[in-house]
Coordinates of all heavy atoms in Angstrom, one line a residue:
M1 N 44.2 103.8 239.1 CA 43.3 105.0 239.2 C 42.3 104.8 240.3 O 41.6 103.8 240.2 CB 42.7 105.2 237.8 CG 41.9 106.6 237.7 SD 43.0 108.0 238.0 CE 44.2 107.9 236.7
T2 N 42.3 105.8 241.2 CA 41.4 105.6 242.4 C 40.1 106.4 242.3 O 40.2 107.6 241.9 CB 42.2 106.0 243.7 OG1 43.5 105.4 243.7 CG2 41.4 105.7 244.9
K3 N 39.0 105.8 242.7 CA 37.7 106.6 242.7 C 37.9 107.7 243.7 O 38.4 107.6 244.8 CB 36.7 105.6 243.3 CG 35.3 106.1 243.4 CD 34.4 105.0 243.9 CE 33.0 105.5 244.2 NZ 32.1 104.4 244.7
L4 N 37.4 108.9 243.2 CA 37.5 110.1 244.0 C 36.4 110.1 245.1 O 35.2 109.8 244.8 CB 37.2 111.3 243.1 CG 38.4 111.6 242.1 CD1 37.9 112.5 241.0 CD2 39.6 112.3 242.8
E5 N 36.8 110.5 246.3 CA 35.9 110.5 247.5 C 36.1 111.7 248.3 O 37.2 112.3 248.3 CB 36.1 109.3 248.4 CG 36.1 107.9 247.6 CD 34.9 107.1 247.7 OE1 33.8 107.7 247.9 OE2 35.0 105.9 247.7
G6 N 35.2 112.1 249.1 CA 35.3 113.2 250.1 C 35.9 114.5 249.5 O 35.4 114.9 248.5
A7 N 36.9 115.0 250.2 CA 37.4 116.3 249.8 C 38.0 116.3 248.4 O 37.9 117.3 247.7 CB 38.4 116.8 250.8
A8 N 38.6 115.2 248.0 CA 39.2 115.1 246.7 C 38.1 115.1 245.6 O 38.2 115.8 244.6 CB 40.0 113.8 246.6
L9 N 36.9 114.5 245.9 CA 35.8 114.6 245.0 C 35.3 116.0 244.9 O 35.1 116.5 243.8 CB 34.7 113.6 245.5 CG 33.4 113.7 244.7 CD1 33.6 113.3 243.2 CD2 32.4 112.7 245.3
T10 N 35.1 116.7 246.0 CA 34.6 118.0 246.0 C 35.6 118.9 245.2 O 35.1 119.7 244.4 CB 34.5 118.6 247.5 OG1 33.7 117.7 248.2 CG2 34.0 120.0 247.5
A11 N 36.9 118.8 245.4 CA 37.9 119.6 244.7 C 37.8 119.3 243.2 O 37.9 120.2 242.4 CB 39.2 119.3 245.3
A12 N 37.7 118.1 242.9 CA 37.6 117.7 241.4 C 36.4 118.2 240.8 O 36.5 118.8 239.7 CB 37.6 116.1 241.3
L13 N 35.3 118.2 241.4 CA 34.0 118.7 240.8 C 34.1 120.2 240.6 O 33.5 120.7 239.7 CB 32.8 118.3 241.7 CG 32.5 116.8 241.7 CD1 31.4 116.5 242.7 CD2 32.1 116.3 240.4
A14 N 34.8 120.9 241.5 CA 35.0 122.3 241.4 C 35.7 122.7 240.1 O 35.5 123.8 239.6 CB 35.7 122.9 242.6
Q15 N 36.5 121.7 239.5 CA 37.2 122.0 238.3 C 36.3 121.9 237.1 O 36.7 122.4 236.0 CB 38.3 121.0 238.1 CG 39.4 121.1 239.2 CD 40.5 120.0 238.9 OE1 41.0 119.9 237.8 NE2 40.7 119.2 239.9
V16 N 35.1 121.3 237.2 CA 34.2 121.1 236.1 C 32.8 121.6 236.4 O 31.9 120.9 236.4 CB 34.2 119.6 235.6 CG1 35.5 119.3 234.9 CG2 34.0 118.7 236.8
P17 N 32.7 122.9 236.7 CA 31.4 123.5 237.1 C 30.2 123.3 236.2 O 29.1 123.3 236.6 CB 31.7 125.0 237.4 CG 33.0 125.2 236.6 CD 33.7 124.0 236.6
A18 N 30.5 123.1 234.9 CA 29.5 122.9 233.9 C 28.9 121.5 234.0 O 27.8 121.3 233.3 CB 30.0 123.2 232.5
W19 N 29.5 120.6 234.7 CA 29.0 119.2 234.8 C 28.2 119.0 236.0 O 28.5 119.6 237.1 CB 30.2 118.3 234.7 CG 30.9 118.4 233.4 CD1 31.7 119.4 233.0 CD2 30.9 117.4 232.4 NE1 32.2 119.1 231.7 CE2 31.7 117.9 231.3 CE3 30.3 116.2 232.2 CZ2 31.9 117.2 230.1 CZ3 30.6 115.4 231.1 CH2 31.4 116.0 230.0
T20 N 27.3 118.1 236.0 CA 26.4 117.7 237.1 C 26.9 116.4 237.7 O 27.0 115.4 236.9 CB 25.0 117.6 236.7 OG1 24.6 118.9 236.1 CG2 24.0 117.3 237.8
F21 N 27.1 116.3 239.0 CA 27.4 115.0 239.6 C 26.2 114.1 239.8 O 25.2 114.5 240.3 CB 28.1 115.3 241.0 CG 28.6 114.0 241.6 CD1 29.5 113.2 241.0 CD2 28.0 113.6 242.9 CE1 29.9 112.0 241.7 CE2 28.5 112.5 243.5 CZ 29.4 111.7 242.9
D22 N 26.3 112.9 239.3 CA 25.3 111.9 239.5 C 25.8 110.9 240.5 O 26.6 110.0 240.3 CB 25.1 111.1 238.1 CG 24.1 110.0 238.2 OD1 23.8 109.5 239.3 OD2 23.6 109.6 237.1
A23 N 25.2 111.1 241.8 CA 25.7 110.3 242.9 C 25.4 108.8 242.7 O 26.1 107.9 243.1 CB 25.1 110.8 244.2
Q24 N 24.3 108.5 242.0 CA 23.9 107.1 241.9 C 24.9 106.4 241.0 O 25.3 105.3 241.3 CB 22.4 107.1 241.2 CG 21.7 105.8 241.4 CD 21.9 104.9 240.1 OE1 22.0 105.4 239.0 NE2 22.0 103.6 240.3
R25 N 25.3 107.0 239.9 CA 26.3 106.4 239.0 C 27.8 106.7 239.4 O 28.7 106.1 238.9 CB 26.1 106.9 237.6 CG 25.0 106.5 236.8 CD 25.1 105.1 236.3 NE 26.4 104.6 235.9 CZ 26.9 104.8 234.6 NH1 26.1 105.4 233.7 NH2 28.1 104.3 234.3
H26 N 27.9 107.7 240.4 CA 29.2 108.2 240.7 C 29.9 108.6 239.4 O 31.0 108.1 239.0 CB 30.1 107.2 241.5 CG 31.0 107.9 242.4 ND1 32.3 108.4 242.0 CD2 30.9 108.2 243.7 CE1 32.9 108.9 243.0 NE2 32.1 108.9 244.1
A27 N 29.2 109.6 238.7 CA 29.6 110.0 237.4 C 29.3 111.5 237.3 O 28.6 112.1 238.1 CB 28.9 109.2 236.3
I28 N 29.8 112.1 236.2 CA 29.4 113.5 235.9 C 28.7 113.5 234.5 O 29.1 112.7 233.6 CB 30.6 114.5 235.9 CG1 31.8 114.0 235.0 CG2 31.0 114.7 237.3 CD1 32.9 115.0 234.9
R29 N 27.8 114.4 234.4 CA 26.9 114.5 233.2 C 27.0 115.9 232.6 O 27.0 116.9 233.4 CB 25.5 114.2 233.5 CG 25.2 112.9 234.0 CD 23.7 112.7 234.4 NE 23.4 111.4 234.8 CZ 23.2 110.4 233.9 NH1 23.2 110.6 232.6 NH2 23.0 109.2 234.4
R30 N 26.9 116.0 231.3 CA 26.7 117.3 230.7 C 25.9 117.1 229.4 O 26.2 116.2 228.7 CB 28.0 118.0 230.3 CG 27.8 119.5 229.9 CD 29.1 120.3 229.8 NE 28.7 121.7 229.4 CZ 29.6 122.6 229.0 NH1 30.9 122.3 228.7 NH2 29.2 123.8 228.6
A31 N 24.9 118.0 229.2 CA 24.1 117.9 227.9 C 24.4 119.2 227.1 O 24.3 120.3 227.7 CB 22.6 117.9 228.3
L32 N 24.8 119.0 225.9 CA 25.2 120.1 225.0 C 24.3 120.2 223.8 O 23.9 119.2 223.3 CB 26.7 119.8 224.6 CG 27.7 119.9 225.7 CD1 29.0 119.2 225.2 CD2 28.0 121.3 226.1
R33 N 24.1 121.5 223.4 CA 23.4 121.7 222.2 C 24.3 122.5 221.2 O 24.9 123.5 221.6 CB 22.1 122.5 222.5 CG 21.2 122.6 221.2 CD 19.9 123.2 221.5 NE 19.1 122.6 222.5 CZ 18.5 121.4 222.4 NH1 18.7 120.7 221.3 NH2 17.8 120.9 223.4
L34 N 24.4 121.9 220.0 CA 25.3 122.6 219.0 C 24.4 123.2 217.9 O 23.2 123.2 218.0 CB 26.2 121.5 218.4 CG 27.4 121.0 219.2 CD1 28.4 122.0 219.5 CD2 27.0 120.2 220.4
A35 N 25.0 123.8 217.0 CA 24.2 124.6 216.0 C 23.4 123.7 215.1 O 22.2 124.0 214.7 CB 25.2 125.4 215.1
D36 N 23.8 122.5 214.9 CA 23.1 121.5 214.0 C 23.8 120.1 214.2 O 24.7 120.0 215.0 CB 23.1 122.0 212.5 CG 24.5 122.2 212.0 OD1 25.5 121.6 212.6 OD2 24.7 123.1 211.1
F37 N 23.3 119.2 213.4 CA 23.8 117.8 213.6 C 25.3 117.7 213.2 O 26.1 117.1 213.8 CB 23.0 116.8 212.7 CG 23.6 115.4 212.7 CD1 23.4 114.6 213.8 CD2 24.3 115.0 211.6 CE1 24.0 113.3 213.8 CE2 24.9 113.7 211.6 CZ 24.7 112.9 212.7
N38 N 25.6 118.5 212.1 CA 27.0 118.5 211.6 C 27.9 118.9 212.7 O 29.0 118.3 213.0 CB 27.1 119.4 210.4 CG 28.4 119.2 209.7 OD1 29.5 119.7 210.2 ND2 28.4 118.6 208.6
A39 N 27.6 119.9 213.5 CA 28.4 120.4 214.5 C 28.5 119.5 215.7 O 29.5 119.2 216.3 CB 27.9 121.8 215.0
A40 N 27.3 118.9 216.0 CA 27.3 117.9 217.1 C 28.1 116.7 216.8 O 28.9 116.2 217.6 CB 25.8 117.4 217.3
F41 N 28.1 116.2 215.5 CA 28.9 115.1 215.1 C 30.4 115.5 215.1 O 31.3 114.7 215.4 CB 28.5 114.5 213.8 CG 29.0 113.1 213.6 CD1 28.4 112.0 214.2 CD2 30.1 112.9 212.8 CE1 28.9 110.7 214.0 CE2 30.6 111.6 212.6 CZ 30.0 110.5 213.2
G42 N 30.6 116.7 214.8 CA 32.0 117.2 214.8 C 32.6 117.2 216.2 O 33.7 116.8 216.4
L43 N 31.8 117.6 217.2 CA 32.2 117.5 218.6 C 32.5 116.1 218.9 O 33.5 115.8 219.5 CB 31.2 118.1 219.5 CG 31.5 118.0 221.0 CD1 32.7 118.8 221.4 CD2 30.3 118.5 221.8
M44 N 31.6 115.2 218.6 CA 31.8 113.8 218.9 C 33.0 113.2 218.2 O 33.7 112.4 218.8 CB 30.5 113.0 218.5 CG 29.3 113.4 219.3 SD 27.8 112.5 218.9 CE 28.1 111.0 219.8
T45 N 33.3 113.6 217.0 CA 34.5 113.2 216.3 C 35.8 113.6 217.1 O 36.7 112.8 217.3 CB 34.5 113.7 214.9 OG1 33.4 113.3 214.2 CG2 35.8 113.2 214.2
R46 N 35.8 114.8 217.5 CA 37.0 115.4 218.2 C 37.2 114.6 219.5 O 38.3 114.2 219.9 CB 36.8 116.8 218.5 CG 36.9 117.7 217.3 CD 36.8 119.2 217.7 NE 36.6 120.0 216.5 CZ 36.8 121.4 216.5 NH1 37.2 122.0 217.6 NH2 36.6 122.1 215.4
V47 N 36.0 114.4 220.2 CA 36.1 113.7 221.5 C 36.5 112.3 221.4 O 37.3 111.7 222.1 CB 34.8 113.9 222.3 CG1 34.8 113.1 223.6 CG2 34.6 115.4 222.6
A48 N 35.9 111.7 220.3 CA 36.2 110.2 220.1 C 37.7 110.0 219.9 O 38.3 109.1 220.5 CB 35.4 109.7 218.9
L49 N 38.3 110.8 219.1 CA 39.7 110.6 218.8 C 40.5 110.9 220.0 O 41.5 110.1 220.3 CB 40.1 111.6 217.6 CG 39.5 111.3 216.3 CD1 39.9 112.4 215.3 CD2 40.0 109.9 215.8
E50 N 40.2 111.8 220.8 CA 40.9 112.1 222.1 C 40.7 111.0 223.1 O 41.6 110.5 223.8 CB 40.5 113.4 222.7 CG 41.2 113.8 223.9 CD 42.7 114.1 223.7 OE1 43.1 114.3 222.5 OE2 43.5 114.2 224.7
A51 N 39.5 110.5 223.1 CA 39.2 109.4 224.1 C 40.0 108.2 223.7 O 40.5 107.5 224.6 CB 37.7 109.0 224.0
E52 N 40.1 107.9 222.4 CA 40.9 106.7 222.0 C 42.4 106.9 222.4 O 43.1 106.0 222.8 CB 40.8 106.5 220.5 CG 41.2 105.2 220.0 CD 40.5 104.0 220.6 OE1 39.5 104.2 221.3 OE2 41.0 102.9 220.5
R53 N 42.9 108.2 222.2 CA 44.3 108.5 222.6 C 44.5 108.2 224.0 O 45.6 107.7 224.4 CB 44.6 110.0 222.3 CG 45.2 110.2 220.9 CD 45.8 111.6 220.8 NE 44.7 112.6 220.8 CZ 44.1 113.1 219.7 NH1 44.5 112.5 218.5 NH2 43.1 114.0 219.7
R54 N 43.5 108.5 224.9 CA 43.6 108.4 226.3 C 43.2 107.0 226.8 O 43.4 106.8 228.0 CB 42.7 109.5 227.0 CG 43.2 110.9 226.8 CD 42.1 111.9 227.3 NE 42.5 113.3 227.0 CZ 42.5 114.3 227.8 NH1 42.2 114.0 229.1 NH2 42.8 115.5 227.5
N55 N 42.7 106.2 225.9 CA 42.0 105.0 226.3 C 41.1 105.2 227.5 O 41.0 104.5 228.5 CB 43.1 103.9 226.7 CG 42.4 102.6 226.9 OD1 41.5 102.2 226.2 ND2 42.9 101.8 227.9
H56 N 40.3 106.3 227.3 CA 39.2 106.6 228.3 C 38.1 107.2 227.6 O 38.2 108.2 226.9 CB 39.8 107.6 229.4 CG 38.9 107.7 230.6 ND1 38.8 106.7 231.5 CD2 38.0 108.7 230.9 CE1 38.0 107.1 232.4 NE2 37.5 108.3 232.1
H57 N 36.9 106.5 227.7 CA 35.8 106.7 226.7 C 34.5 107.2 227.4 O 34.2 106.7 228.5 CB 35.6 105.4 225.9 CG 36.8 104.9 225.2 ND1 37.7 104.2 225.8 CD2 37.2 105.1 223.9 CE1 38.7 103.9 224.9 NE2 38.4 104.5 223.8
P58 N 33.8 108.1 226.8 CA 32.6 108.6 227.3 C 31.4 107.6 227.1 O 31.5 106.7 226.2 CB 32.3 109.9 226.6 CG 32.9 109.6 225.2 CD 34.1 108.8 225.5
E59 N 30.4 107.7 227.9 CA 29.1 107.1 227.6 C 28.3 108.3 227.1 O 28.2 109.3 227.8 CB 28.5 106.6 228.9 CG 29.3 105.5 229.6 CD 28.6 105.1 231.0 OE1 27.5 105.5 231.2 OE2 29.4 104.6 231.8
W60 N 27.7 108.2 225.9 CA 27.1 109.3 225.3 C 25.9 108.9 224.4 O 25.8 107.8 223.9 CB 28.0 110.3 224.6 CG 29.0 109.6 223.6 CD1 29.0 108.3 223.2 CD2 30.1 110.3 223.0 NE1 30.0 108.2 222.3 CE2 30.7 109.4 222.1 CE3 30.5 111.6 223.0 CZ2 31.8 109.7 221.3 CZ3 31.6 111.9 222.2 CH2 32.3 111.0 221.4
S61 N 25.1 109.9 224.1 CA 24.0 109.8 223.1 C 23.9 111.1 222.3 O 24.2 112.1 222.8 CB 22.7 109.4 223.7 OG 22.3 110.5 224.5
N62 N 23.4 110.9 221.1 CA 23.2 112.1 220.2 C 21.9 112.1 219.6 O 21.5 111.0 219.0 CB 24.3 112.1 219.1 CG 24.0 113.0 217.9 OD1 23.8 112.5 216.8 ND2 23.9 114.3 218.2
V63 N 21.1 113.2 219.7 CA 19.9 113.4 218.9 C 20.0 114.7 218.2 O 20.0 115.8 218.8 CB 18.7 113.4 219.8 CG1 17.4 113.6 219.0 CG2 18.6 112.1 220.7
Y64 N 20.2 114.6 216.9 CA 20.3 115.8 216.0 C 21.4 116.7 216.5 O 22.6 116.4 216.4 CB 19.0 116.5 215.8 CG 19.1 117.6 214.8 CD1 19.6 117.4 213.5 CD2 18.8 118.9 215.1 CE1 19.7 118.4 212.6 CE2 19.0 120.0 214.2 CZ 19.4 119.7 213.0 OH 19.6 120.7 212.1
D65 N 21.0 117.9 217.1 CA 22.0 118.9 217.5 C 22.4 118.8 219.0 O 23.1 119.6 219.5 CB 21.5 120.3 217.3 CG 20.2 120.6 218.1 OD1 19.7 119.7 218.7 OD2 19.8 121.8 218.0
R66 N 21.9 117.7 219.7 CA 22.2 117.5 221.1 C 23.1 116.3 221.4 O 23.0 115.3 220.7 CB 20.8 117.3 221.8 CG 20.9 117.1 223.3 CD 19.6 116.9 223.9 NE 19.7 116.5 225.3 CZ 19.1 117.2 226.4 NH1 18.4 118.2 226.2 NH2 19.3 116.8 227.6
V67 N 24.0 116.5 222.3 CA 24.9 115.5 222.7 C 24.9 115.4 224.2 O 25.1 116.4 224.9 CB 26.4 115.7 222.3 CG1 27.3 114.6 222.7 CG2 26.5 115.9 220.8
D68 N 24.5 114.2 224.7 CA 24.4 114.0 226.2 C 25.6 113.1 226.6 O 25.8 112.0 226.0 CB 23.1 113.3 226.6 CG 21.9 114.2 226.5 OD1 21.3 114.4 225.4 OD2 21.6 114.9 227.5
I69 N 26.4 113.5 227.5 CA 27.6 112.8 227.9 C 27.6 112.5 229.4 O 27.3 113.3 230.2 CB 28.9 113.7 227.6 CG1 28.8 114.2 226.1 CG2 30.2 112.9 227.8 CD1 29.9 115.2 225.7
V70 N 28.1 111.2 229.6 CA 28.3 110.8 231.0 C 29.7 110.3 231.1 O 30.2 109.5 230.2 CB 27.3 109.6 231.4 CG1 27.7 109.1 232.8 CG2 25.9 110.1 231.3
L71 N 30.5 110.7 232.1 CA 31.8 110.3 232.3 C 32.0 109.6 233.7 O 31.6 110.2 234.7 CB 32.8 111.5 232.3 CG 32.8 112.3 231.0 CD1 33.8 113.5 231.1 CD2 33.2 111.4 229.8
T72 N 32.5 108.4 233.7 CA 32.9 107.7 234.9 C 33.9 106.7 234.5 O 34.1 106.4 233.3 CB 31.6 107.0 235.5 OG1 32.0 106.6 236.8 CG2 31.1 105.9 234.7
T73 N 34.6 106.2 235.5 CA 35.7 105.2 235.2 C 35.3 103.8 235.6 O 35.2 103.5 236.8 CB 37.0 105.6 235.9 OG1 37.4 106.9 235.6 CG2 38.1 104.6 235.6
H74 N 35.0 103.0 234.6 CA 34.4 101.7 234.8 C 35.4 100.8 235.7 O 35.0 100.2 236.6 CB 34.1 101.0 233.5 CG 33.2 101.9 232.6 ND1 33.6 102.2 231.3 CD2 32.0 102.5 232.8 CE1 32.7 103.0 230.8 NE2 31.7 103.2 231.7
D75 N 36.6 100.9 235.3 CA 37.6 100.1 236.0 C 37.7 100.5 237.5 O 38.2 99.6 238.3 CB 39.0 100.3 235.4 CG 39.1 99.7 234.0 OD1 38.1 98.9 233.6 OD2 40.0 100.0 233.2
A76 N 37.4 101.7 237.9 CA 37.5 102.1 239.3 C 36.1 102.1 240.0 O 36.1 102.5 241.2 CB 38.1 103.5 239.3
G77 N 35.1 101.9 239.3 CA 33.7 101.9 239.8 C 33.2 103.2 240.2 O 32.3 103.4 241.1
G78 N 33.7 104.3 239.6 CA 33.3 105.6 239.8 C 34.1 106.7 239.2 O 35.0 106.4 238.3
L79 N 33.9 107.9 239.7 CA 34.6 109.1 239.1 C 36.1 109.1 239.5 O 36.5 108.8 240.6 CB 34.0 110.3 239.6 CG 34.1 111.6 238.7 CD1 33.4 111.5 237.4 CD2 33.6 112.8 239.5
T80 N 37.0 109.3 238.5 CA 38.4 109.5 238.7 C 39.0 110.7 238.0 O 38.2 111.4 237.3 CB 39.2 108.2 238.2 OG1 39.2 108.3 236.8 CG2 38.7 106.9 238.7
E81 N 40.2 111.0 238.3 CA 40.9 112.1 237.6 C 40.8 112.0 236.1 O 40.8 113.0 235.4 CB 42.3 112.3 238.1 CG 42.5 112.8 239.5 CD 41.9 114.2 239.7 OE1 41.7 114.9 238.7 OE2 41.7 114.6 240.8
R82 N 40.8 110.8 235.6 CA 40.7 110.6 234.1 C 39.4 111.3 233.6 O 39.4 111.9 232.5 CB 40.7 109.2 233.7 CG 42.0 108.5 233.9 CD 42.0 107.1 233.3 NE 43.4 106.5 233.4 CZ 43.8 105.5 232.7 NH1 42.9 104.9 231.8 NH2 45.0 105.0 232.8
D83 N 38.3 111.1 234.3 CA 37.0 111.7 233.9 C 37.1 113.2 234.0 O 36.6 113.9 233.1 CB 35.9 111.2 234.8 CG 35.8 109.7 234.8 OD1 35.6 109.2 233.7 OD2 36.0 109.1 235.9
I84 N 37.7 113.8 235.0 CA 37.8 115.2 235.1 C 38.7 115.8 234.0 O 38.3 116.8 233.3 CB 38.5 115.6 236.5 CG1 37.7 115.1 237.7 CG2 38.6 117.1 236.6 CD1 36.2 115.5 237.7
A85 N 39.8 115.1 233.7 CA 40.6 115.6 232.6 C 39.9 115.5 231.2 O 40.0 116.5 230.4 CB 41.9 114.7 232.5
L86 N 39.2 114.4 231.0 CA 38.4 114.3 229.7 C 37.3 115.4 229.7 O 37.0 116.0 228.6 CB 37.9 112.9 229.5 CG 37.2 112.7 228.2 CD1 38.1 113.0 227.0 CD2 36.7 111.2 228.1
A87 N 36.7 115.6 230.8 CA 35.6 116.7 230.9 C 36.2 118.0 230.5 O 35.5 118.8 229.7 CB 35.0 116.7 232.2
R88 N 37.4 118.3 230.9 CA 38.0 119.6 230.6 C 38.3 119.7 229.1 O 38.2 120.7 228.5 CB 39.2 119.8 231.5 CG 38.8 119.9 233.0 CD 40.0 120.1 233.9 NE 40.5 121.5 233.8 CZ 41.3 122.0 234.7 NH1 41.8 121.3 235.7 NH2 41.7 123.2 234.5
F89 N 38.7 118.6 228.6 CA 39.0 118.6 227.1 C 37.6 118.8 226.4 O 37.6 119.6 225.4 CB 39.6 117.2 226.7 CG 39.7 117.1 225.2 CD1 40.8 117.6 224.5 CD2 38.7 116.6 224.4 CE1 41.0 117.5 223.1 CE2 38.8 116.5 223.0 CZ 39.9 117.0 222.4
I90 N 36.6 118.1 226.8 CA 35.3 118.3 226.2 C 34.8 119.7 226.3 O 34.3 120.3 225.4 CB 34.3 117.3 226.8 CG1 34.6 115.8 226.4 CG2 32.8 117.6 226.4 CD1 33.9 114.8 227.1
D91 N 35.0 120.3 227.5 CA 34.6 121.7 227.7 C 35.3 122.6 226.6 O 34.6 123.5 226.1 CB 34.9 122.2 229.1 CG 34.0 121.6 230.1 OD1 32.9 121.0 229.7 OD2 34.3 121.7 231.3
A92 N 36.5 122.4 226.4 CA 37.3 123.2 225.5 C 36.8 123.0 224.1 O 36.6 124.0 223.3 CB 38.8 122.9 225.6
A93 N 36.6 121.8 223.7 CA 36.1 121.4 222.3 C 34.7 122.0 222.1 O 34.4 122.6 221.1 CB 36.1 119.9 222.1
A94 N 33.9 121.9 223.1 CA 32.5 122.4 223.0 C 32.5 123.9 222.9 O 31.8 124.5 222.0 CB 31.7 122.0 224.3
A95 N 33.4 124.6 223.6 CA 33.4 126.1 223.5 C 33.9 126.5 222.2 O 33.4 127.4 221.5 CB 34.4 126.6 224.6
A96 N 34.9 125.7 221.6 CA 35.5 126.1 220.3 C 34.4 125.9 219.2 O 34.5 126.6 218.2 CB 36.7 125.2 220.0
L97 N 33.4 125.0 219.5 CA 32.4 124.8 218.5 C 31.1 125.6 218.8 O 30.1 125.4 218.2 CB 32.0 123.3 218.4 CG 33.1 122.4 217.7 CD1 32.9 121.0 218.0 CD2 33.0 122.7 216.2
G98 N 31.2 126.5 219.8 CA 30.0 127.3 220.1 C 28.9 126.6 220.8 O 27.7 127.0 220.6
A99 N 29.2 125.5 221.5 CA 28.1 124.7 222.1 C 27.5 125.5 223.3 O 28.1 126.3 223.9 CB 28.7 123.4 222.6
R100 N 26.2 125.2 223.5 CA 25.5 125.8 224.7 C 25.0 124.6 225.5 O 24.9 123.5 225.0 CB 24.3 126.6 224.2 CG 24.6 127.7 223.3 CD 23.3 128.5 222.9 NE 22.3 127.6 222.4 CZ 22.2 127.1 221.2 NH1 23.3 127.3 220.3 NH2 21.2 126.4 220.8
D101 N 24.7 124.9 226.8 CA 24.2 123.8 227.6 C 22.7 123.5 227.2 O 22.0 124.5 227.0 CB 24.3 124.2 229.1 CG 25.7 124.0 229.6 OD1 26.2 122.8 229.7 OD2 26.4 125.0 229.8
A102 N 22.4 122.3 227.1 CA 21.0 121.9 226.6 C 20.0 122.1 227.8 O 20.4 122.0 228.9 CB 21.0 120.5 226.1
Ligands
H2B201 C1 40.2 97.5 229.4 C2 39.5 98.8 229.6 O1 38.3 98.8 228.9 C3 40.3 99.9 229.2 O2 41.4 100.0 230.0 C4 39.6 101.3 229.3 C5 38.8 101.6 228.1 N1 38.1 102.9 228.3 C6 37.6 103.2 229.5 N2 36.7 104.2 229.6 C7 36.2 104.5 230.8 N3 35.3 105.5 230.9 N4 36.4 103.7 231.9 C8 37.3 102.7 231.9 O3 37.5 102.0 232.9 C9 37.9 102.4 230.6 N5 38.8 101.4 230.5

């Protein structure tokens, strides 16, 4: 898996407009607010199971109804297509649970 650079990085980021690129980490970030803790943990459960299936895991934190997620590929030293694909899964799960951007 190769770190995304240049035009490929630009094209990849265009696929995940809800996410913010962190140039320092070469990662993408999204902060989500759910209805309550139960919903937030439900999102984390869905994502955790999918992350395990993909062997590609988020860096994240949760405070009550808020979930902060960072995606980057440690083995590649930056953002790869695996992060983009997982971000799109997270976007779909978040939408299904009625999440808003924090
Ligand atoms: C051995 C290595 O930890 C595994 O191949 C997986 C586990 N989950 C992972 N998750 C992320 N985000 N990046 C990785 O490089 C990664 N590697």
Side-chain angles (χ1 to χ4, degrees):
M1 190 56 64
T2 309
K3 180 176 171 181
L4 292 162
E5 309 257 31
L9 174 61
T10 303
L13 293 175
Q15 294 179 54
V16 286
W19 295 71
T20 302
F21 181 62
D22 177 341
Q24 197 267 326
R25 287 288 322 270
H26 210 275
I28 51 174
R29 298 179 176 279
R30 190 171 183 197
L32 294 163
R33 188 170 306 288
L34 286 298
D36 52 28
F37 174 76
N38 190 288
F41 197 79
L43 175 64
M44 295 180 79
T45 301
R46 292 183 189 196
V47 173
L49 292 174
E50 183 67 15
E52 196 58 12
R53 267 194 288 273
R54 294 170 184 231
N55 191 34
H56 194 72
H57 304 82
E59 299 173 19
W60 51 5
S61 64
N62 160 244
V63 179
Y64 185 59
D65 61 353
R66 180 179 170 123
V67 183
D68 286 87
I69 306 173
V70 175
L71 300 177
T72 192
T73 303
H74 308 123
D75 294 345
L79 204 67
T80 70
E81 285 297 344
R82 286 189 178 197
D83 301 303
I84 303 303
L86 185 55
R88 296 177 76 166
F89 175 88
I90 292 168
D91 288 347
L97 284 164
R100 303 181 309 282
D101 283 290

